[in-house]
Coordinates of all heavy atoms in Angstrom, one line a residue:
M350 N 7.8 -0.8 4.6 CA 7.4 -1.0 3.2 C 7.8 -2.4 2.7 O 7.6 -2.6 1.5 CB 8.1 0.1 2.3 CG 7.7 1.5 2.7 SD 8.4 2.8 1.6 CE 7.5 2.5 0.1
T351 N 8.3 -3.2 3.6 CA 8.7 -4.6 3.2 C 8.2 -5.6 4.3 O 7.3 -6.2 4.1 CB 10.2 -4.7 3.0 OG1 10.9 -4.4 4.2 CG2 10.7 -3.8 1.9
L352 N 8.9 -5.7 5.3 CA 8.6 -6.8 6.4 C 7.2 -6.6 7.0 O 6.5 -7.6 7.1 CB 9.7 -6.7 7.4 CG 9.8 -7.9 8.4 CD1 9.9 -9.2 7.7 CD2 10.8 -7.7 9.4
G353 N 6.9 -5.4 7.3 CA 5.6 -5.1 7.9 C 4.5 -5.6 7.1 O 3.6 -6.4 7.5
P354 N 4.3 -5.1 5.8 CA 3.3 -5.6 5.0 C 3.3 -7.1 4.6 O 2.4 -7.8 4.5 CB 3.4 -4.7 3.7 CG 4.7 -4.1 3.8 CD 5.0 -4.0 5.3
A355 N 4.6 -7.7 4.5 CA 4.7 -9.1 4.2 C 4.2 -10.0 5.3 O 3.6 -11.0 5.1 CB 6.2 -9.4 3.9
K356 N 4.4 -9.5 6.6 CA 3.9 -10.3 7.7 C 2.4 -10.4 7.8 O 1.9 -11.4 8.2 CB 4.5 -9.7 9.0 CG 5.9 -10.0 9.3 CD 6.4 -9.4 10.6 CE 7.7 -9.8 11.0 NZ 8.2 -9.2 12.3
L357 N 1.7 -9.3 7.4 CA 0.3 -9.3 7.4 C -0.3 -10.5 6.7 O -1.3 -11.1 7.1 CB -0.3 -8.0 6.9 CG -1.8 -7.9 6.9 CD1 -2.4 -7.9 8.3 CD2 -2.3 -6.6 6.1
Y358 N 0.3 -10.8 5.5 CA -0.2 -11.9 4.6 C 0.7 -13.1 4.7 O 0.7 -14.0 3.9 CB -0.3 -11.4 3.3 CG -1.4 -10.4 3.1 CD1 -1.3 -9.1 3.1 CD2 -2.7 -11.0 2.8 CE1 -2.4 -8.2 3.1 CE2 -3.8 -10.1 2.7 CZ -3.6 -8.7 2.8 OH -4.7 -7.9 2.7
S359 N 1.6 -13.2 5.8 CA 2.4 -14.4 6.1 C 3.3 -14.8 4.9 O 3.5 -15.9 4.5 CB 1.5 -15.6 6.4 OG 0.7 -15.4 7.6
L360 N 3.8 -13.7 4.3 CA 4.7 -13.9 3.1 C 6.2 -13.7 3.4 O 7.0 -13.7 2.6 CB 4.3 -12.9 2.0 CG 3.0 -13.0 1.4 CD1 2.6 -11.8 0.5 CD2 2.9 -14.3 0.6
Q361 N 6.5 -13.4 4.7 CA 7.8 -13.0 5.1 C 8.9 -14.1 4.9 O 10.1 -13.9 4.8 CB 7.9 -12.6 6.6 CG 7.6 -13.7 7.6 CD 6.1 -13.8 8.0 OE1 5.3 -13.4 7.2 NE2 5.8 -14.3 9.2
D362 N 8.4 -15.4 4.8 CA 9.4 -16.5 4.4 C 9.7 -16.6 3.0 O 10.7 -17.3 2.6 CB 8.8 -17.8 5.0 CG 8.8 -17.9 6.5 OD1 9.5 -17.1 7.2 OD2 8.0 -18.7 7.0
E363 N 9.0 -15.9 2.2 CA 9.1 -15.9 0.7 C 9.9 -14.6 0.2 O 10.7 -14.7 -0.7 CB 7.8 -16.0 0.0 CG 7.0 -17.2 0.4 CD 5.6 -17.2 -0.3 OE1 5.5 -16.6 -1.4 OE2 4.7 -17.8 0.2
I364 N 9.5 -13.5 0.8 CA 10.0 -12.2 0.3 C 10.4 -11.4 1.5 O 10.4 -11.8 2.7 CB 8.9 -11.4 -0.5 CG1 7.6 -11.3 0.5 CG2 8.5 -12.2 -1.7 CD1 6.5 -10.4 -0.2
A365 N 10.8 -10.1 1.2 CA 11.0 -9.0 2.2 C 12.3 -9.3 3.0 O 12.4 -8.9 4.2 CB 9.8 -8.9 3.1
S366 N 13.3 -10.0 2.5 CA 14.6 -10.2 3.2 C 15.7 -10.5 2.1 O 15.4 -11.1 1.2 CB 14.5 -11.3 4.2 OG 15.7 -11.3 5.0
I367 N 16.8 -9.9 2.5 CA 18.0 -10.1 1.6 C 18.9 -11.1 2.4 O 19.7 -10.8 3.3 CB 18.8 -8.8 1.3 CG1 17.8 -7.8 0.7 CG2 20.0 -9.1 0.4 CD1 18.5 -6.4 0.6
E368 N 18.8 -12.4 1.9 CA 19.6 -13.5 2.6 C 20.0 -14.5 1.5 O 19.4 -14.7 0.5 CB 18.7 -14.2 3.6 CG 18.2 -13.3 4.8 CD 17.3 -14.1 5.7 OE1 17.8 -15.2 6.2 OE2 16.2 -13.6 5.9
V369 N 21.1 -15.2 1.8 CA 21.6 -16.3 0.9 C 20.5 -17.3 0.9 O 19.8 -17.6 1.8 CB 22.9 -16.8 1.5 CG1 23.3 -18.1 0.7 CG2 24.0 -15.8 1.4
N370 N 20.3 -17.8 -0.3 CA 19.3 -18.8 -0.6 C 17.9 -18.3 -0.7 O 16.9 -19.1 -0.8 CB 19.4 -20.1 0.3 CG 20.7 -20.8 0.1 OD1 21.2 -20.9 -0.9 ND2 21.2 -21.3 1.2
R371 N 17.7 -17.0 -0.6 CA 16.4 -16.4 -0.8 C 16.2 -15.9 -2.2 O 17.2 -15.5 -2.8 CB 16.2 -15.2 0.3 CG 16.1 -15.7 1.7 CD 14.8 -16.4 2.0 NE 13.7 -15.4 2.1 CZ 13.2 -14.9 3.1 NH1 13.7 -15.2 4.4 NH2 12.2 -14.0 3.1
K372 N 15.0 -15.7 -2.6 CA 14.7 -15.2 -3.9 C 15.3 -13.7 -4.0 O 15.1 -12.9 -3.1 CB 13.2 -15.2 -4.1 CG 12.7 -14.8 -5.5 CD 11.3 -15.1 -5.8 CE 10.4 -14.2 -4.9 NZ 9.0 -14.3 -5.3
A373 N 15.8 -13.4 -5.1 CA 16.5 -12.1 -5.3 C 15.4 -11.0 -5.8 O 15.3 -10.8 -7.0 CB 17.6 -12.1 -6.3
D374 N 14.6 -10.6 -4.8 CA 13.7 -9.5 -5.1 C 14.3 -8.3 -4.4 O 14.3 -8.2 -3.1 CB 12.3 -9.8 -4.5 CG 11.5 -10.8 -5.4 OD1 12.1 -11.3 -6.3 OD2 10.4 -11.2 -5.0
L375 N 14.7 -7.3 -5.1 CA 15.5 -6.1 -4.6 C 15.1 -4.8 -5.2 O 14.6 -4.8 -6.3 CB 16.9 -6.4 -4.8 CG 17.6 -7.7 -4.4 CD1 19.0 -7.9 -5.0 CD2 17.6 -7.8 -2.9
V376 N 15.3 -3.7 -4.4 CA 15.2 -2.4 -5.0 C 16.5 -1.7 -4.7 O 17.0 -1.8 -3.6 CB 14.0 -1.6 -4.4 CG1 14.0 -1.5 -2.9 CG2 13.9 -0.3 -5.0
I377 N 17.1 -1.1 -5.7 CA 18.3 -0.3 -5.5 C 17.9 1.2 -5.7 O 17.2 1.6 -6.7 CB 19.3 -0.7 -6.5 CG1 19.8 -2.2 -6.3 CG2 20.5 0.2 -6.5 CD1 20.6 -2.8 -7.3
F378 N 18.3 2.1 -4.8 CA 17.9 3.4 -4.9 C 19.0 4.4 -4.4 O 19.9 4.0 -3.6 CB 16.6 3.7 -4.1 CG 16.6 3.3 -2.6 CD1 16.9 4.3 -1.7 CD2 16.5 2.0 -2.2 CE1 16.9 4.0 -0.3 CE2 16.5 1.7 -0.9 CZ 16.8 2.7 0.1
D379 N 18.9 5.6 -4.8 CA 19.8 6.7 -4.4 C 19.0 7.6 -3.4 O 18.1 8.3 -3.8 CB 20.2 7.5 -5.6 CG 21.3 8.5 -5.2 OD1 21.4 8.9 -4.1 OD2 22.0 8.9 -6.2
M380 N 19.4 7.5 -2.1 CA 18.7 8.3 -1.1 C 18.8 9.8 -1.3 O 17.9 10.5 -0.8 CB 19.2 7.9 0.3 CG 18.6 6.7 0.9 SD 19.3 6.5 2.6 CE 18.7 8.0 3.4
D381 N 19.8 10.2 -2.0 CA 20.1 11.7 -2.0 C 19.7 12.3 -3.4 O 19.8 13.5 -3.5 CB 21.6 11.9 -1.8 CG 22.1 11.4 -0.5 OD1 21.4 11.7 0.6 OD2 23.1 10.7 -0.4
E382 N 19.3 11.5 -4.3 CA 19.1 12.1 -5.6 C 17.7 12.7 -5.7 O 16.6 12.1 -5.4 CB 19.1 11.0 -6.8 CG 18.9 11.6 -8.1 CD 19.1 10.6 -9.3 OE1 19.7 9.6 -9.0 OE2 18.7 10.9 -10.4
C383 N 17.6 14.0 -6.1 CA 16.4 14.7 -6.2 C 15.9 14.6 -7.6 O 16.6 14.6 -8.6 CB 16.6 16.2 -5.8 SG 17.0 16.4 -4.1
F384 N 14.6 14.5 -7.8 CA 14.0 14.4 -9.1 C 12.5 14.8 -9.1 O 11.9 15.0 -8.1 CB 14.1 12.9 -9.5 CG 13.2 12.0 -8.8 CD1 12.0 11.5 -9.3 CD2 13.5 11.6 -7.5 CE1 11.1 10.7 -8.6 CE2 12.7 10.8 -6.8 CZ 11.4 10.3 -7.3
K385 N 12.0 15.0 -10.3 CA 10.6 15.3 -10.5 C 10.0 14.2 -11.4 O 10.6 13.9 -12.4 CB 10.4 16.7 -11.1 CG 10.8 17.9 -10.3 CD 10.5 19.2 -11.0 CE 11.0 20.4 -10.1 NZ 10.7 21.6 -10.8
I386 N 8.9 13.8 -11.1 CA 8.1 12.9 -12.0 C 7.2 13.7 -12.8 O 6.2 14.3 -12.3 CB 7.3 11.8 -11.3 CG1 8.3 10.8 -10.6 CG2 6.5 11.0 -12.2 CD1 7.6 9.6 -9.9
D387 N 7.3 13.7 -14.2 CA 6.4 14.4 -15.1 C 5.4 13.4 -15.7 O 4.2 13.9 -16.1 CB 7.2 15.2 -16.1 CG 8.1 16.3 -15.5 OD1 7.5 17.0 -14.6 OD2 9.2 16.4 -15.9
T388 N 5.8 12.2 -15.9 CA 4.9 11.2 -16.5 C 5.0 9.9 -15.7 O 6.1 9.7 -15.1 CB 5.1 11.0 -18.0 OG1 6.5 10.5 -18.1 CG2 4.9 12.2 -18.8
F389 N 4.0 9.1 -15.7 CA 4.0 7.9 -14.9 C 3.9 6.7 -15.9 O 3.4 6.7 -17.0 CB 2.8 7.8 -13.9 CG 3.0 8.9 -12.9 CD1 2.4 10.1 -13.1 CD2 3.6 8.7 -11.7 CE1 2.4 11.1 -12.0 CE2 3.6 9.6 -10.7 CZ 3.1 10.8 -10.9
K390 N 4.4 5.5 -15.3 CA 4.3 4.3 -16.1 C 2.8 3.8 -16.0 O 2.3 3.1 -16.9 CB 5.2 3.2 -15.5 CG 6.6 3.5 -15.5 CD 7.1 3.5 -16.9 CE 8.6 3.8 -17.0 NZ 9.1 4.0 -18.4
S391 N 2.1 4.2 -15.0 CA 0.7 3.9 -14.9 C -0.1 4.5 -16.0 O 0.3 5.5 -16.6 CB 0.1 4.5 -13.5 OG -1.3 4.4 -13.5
K392 N -1.2 3.8 -16.4 CA -2.1 4.4 -17.5 C -2.6 5.7 -17.1 O -2.9 6.6 -17.9 CB -3.2 3.4 -17.7 CG -3.0 2.3 -18.7 CD -4.3 1.6 -19.0 CE -4.1 0.4 -20.0 NZ -5.4 -0.3 -20.3
S393 N -2.8 5.9 -15.8 CA -3.4 7.1 -15.3 C -2.3 8.0 -14.7 O -1.2 7.6 -14.4 CB -4.5 6.8 -14.2 OG -5.6 6.0 -14.7
Q394 N -2.7 9.3 -14.6 CA -1.7 10.3 -14.2 C -2.3 11.1 -13.0 O -1.7 12.2 -12.6 CB -1.4 11.3 -15.3 CG -1.0 10.6 -16.6 CD 0.4 9.9 -16.5 OE1 1.4 10.6 -16.3 NE2 0.5 8.6 -16.7

Side-chain angles (χ1 to χ4, degrees):
M350 298 185 74
T351 59
L352 190 60
K356 282 182 174 179
L357 178 65
Y358 287 93
S359 301
L360 295 172
Q361 68 271 23
D362 292 336
E363 302 174 29
I364 57 173
S366 188
I367 304 173
E368 300 177 53
V369 172
N370 295 325
R371 292 286 290 264
K372 189 168 64 165
D374 287 1
L375 308 167
V376 57
I377 296 173
F378 59 97
D379 187 336
M380 275 186 61
D381 299 316
E382 183 173 347
C383 296
F384 69 102
K385 292 180 181 179
I386 292 185
D387 293 318
T388 59
F389 295 90
K390 299 294 182 186
S391 170
K392 275 189 181 182
S393 295
Q394 308 289 301

